[in-house]
Amino acid sequence: MARGKSHTNLDEAFLALPDYWSPRVVAAANGQYVKVAKVKGEFVWHAHADEDEFFLVRKGALTIRYRDRPEVVLREGDFHVVPKGVEHMPVAADECWVVLVEPAATKHTGNTVSLITRTIEEQTAHLR
Amino acid sequence: MARGKSHTNLDEAFLALPDYWSPRVVAAANGQYVKVAKVKGEFVWHAHADEDEFFLVRKGALTIRYRDRPEVVLREGDFHVVPKGVEHMPVAADECWVVLVEPAATKHTGNTVSLITRTIEEQTAHLR
């Protein structure tokens, strides 16, 4: 596991991300993690049974598809909360930078197991 | 109390802020509030006994003064967590736009009472 440094600037943290769909924790407060993720393409359908998920687009555009409601398109500066228990799939046609705020306990792909899944140890390895 | 609309874009929410030092809640997730605040000048010394406070500067520069440690200067894109229980005073020489993430229970000026203090009802009035 490659180690990196801890950042205090969002864009520096984005630039240090090695891969798409590999969130990195940049701050912790009140049992929540603030994460940065660089995404491109389709993620996987998943839900977080007990955790809401806050998305803020820093650069590019992100679509959040839902099974049971209209999709939401987020552009730079737009934010959105995916409610707990609701199945969703993030999709980005082009590279998109996303800030996430979610409980430390949140699993990357919820209860869905995927090759793309990153453990919380992987998301925090650069801080150790 | 002036009502406004609920925003889904950070900059639109900042532009709708009526006053300095009057945070507005823009999103709620997992018992936390995401807030926007437009600040200028000196705030008041205060601490939040039980809550960490996450700061992210969207525009301008914010200095966070501490009694017992070096001050922290945050510029656009910089973030910082003020740990619970630690006395601090935010200061901005010029107008600065700040994103805050903190528990819904967090009081604006902690246990300090000030003319500047905004209740959580005032911070969420535009959502009703």
Side-chain angles (χ1 to χ4, degrees):
Chain A
M1 173 64 53
R3 296 291 190 275
K5 77 183 197 81
S6 169
H7 293 278
T8 56
N9 179 275
L10 276 189
D11 286 358
E12 287 177 13
F14 280 114
L15 289 170
L17 287 171
D19 303 305
Y20 292 125
W21 305 112
S22 291
R24 289 291 178 269
V25 172
V26 296
N30 306 297
Q32 313 290 308
Y33 280 151
V34 179
K35 304 177 180 182
V36 294
K38 192 172 65 172
V39 305
K40 185 176 179 180
E42 292 192 345
F43 199 52
V44 290
W45 282 105
H46 68 288
H48 309 282
D50 298 317
E51 296 102 4
D52 304 322
E53 200 165 27
F54 173 86
F55 288 81
L56 165 66
V57 169
R58 169 68 188 105
K59 202 170 85 170
L62 181 73
T63 298
I64 297 179
R65 291 189 192 146
Y66 286 111
R67 299 278 197 196
D68 63 350
R69 60 193 77 181
E71 66 181 26
V72 175
V73 179
L74 305 174
R75 298 194 172 77
E76 189 172 317
D78 290 344
F79 54 86
H80 177 71
V81 176
V82 174
K84 61 184 175 186
V86 176
E87 205 178 10
H88 60 286
M89 176 166 68
V91 182
D94 298 303
E95 180 172 311
C96 175
W97 292 5
V98 188
V99 179
L100 298 160
V101 183
E102 54 193 14
T106 305
K107 290 182 186 170
H108 189 212
T109 53
N111 292 325
T112 304
V113 177
S114 162
L115 284 174
I116 216 169
T117 304
R118 295 287 174 267
T119 65
I120 199 62
E121 288 71 25
E122 290 174 296
Q123 297 178 50
T124 56
H126 61 293
L127 301 176
R128 290 191 287 271
Chain B
M1 173 65 53
R3 296 290 190 275
K5 77 181 197 81
S6 170
H7 293 278
T8 56
N9 179 275
L10 276 188
D11 286 359
E12 287 177 13
F14 279 114
L15 290 169
L17 287 170
D19 304 304
Y20 292 125
W21 306 113
S22 290
R24 290 291 178 269
V25 172
V26 296
N30 306 296
Q32 313 289 307
Y33 279 153
V34 179
K35 304 178 179 183
V36 294
K38 190 173 66 172
V39 305
K40 186 177 179 179
E42 292 192 344
F43 200 52
V44 291
W45 282 105
H46 68 287
H48 309 281
D50 299 317
E51 297 103 4
D52 306 319
E53 201 165 26
F54 173 86
F55 289 81
L56 165 65
V57 169
R58 169 67 188 104
K59 201 169 85 171
L62 181 73
T63 298
I64 297 179
R65 291 188 192 146
Y66 286 111
R67 299 277 197 199
D68 63 350
R69 60 193 77 182
E71 65 182 27
V72 175
V73 179
L74 305 174
R75 298 195 171 76
E76 190 171 317
D78 290 344
F79 55 86
H80 176 72
V81 176
V82 175
K84 62 184 175 186
V86 176
E87 206 177 9
H88 60 285
M89 177 166 67
V91 183
D94 299 303
E95 181 172 313
C96 175
W97 291 6
V98 188
V99 179
L100 298 160
V101 183
E102 53 193 15
T106 305
K107 291 181 184 171
H108 189 212
T109 53
N111 292 325
T112 303
V113 177
S114 161
L115 286 174
I116 217 169
T117 304
R118 295 287 175 265
T119 66
I120 199 62
E121 288 72 25
E122 290 175 295
Q123 297 177 50
T124 56
H126 61 293
L127 301 176
R128 289 192 288 271

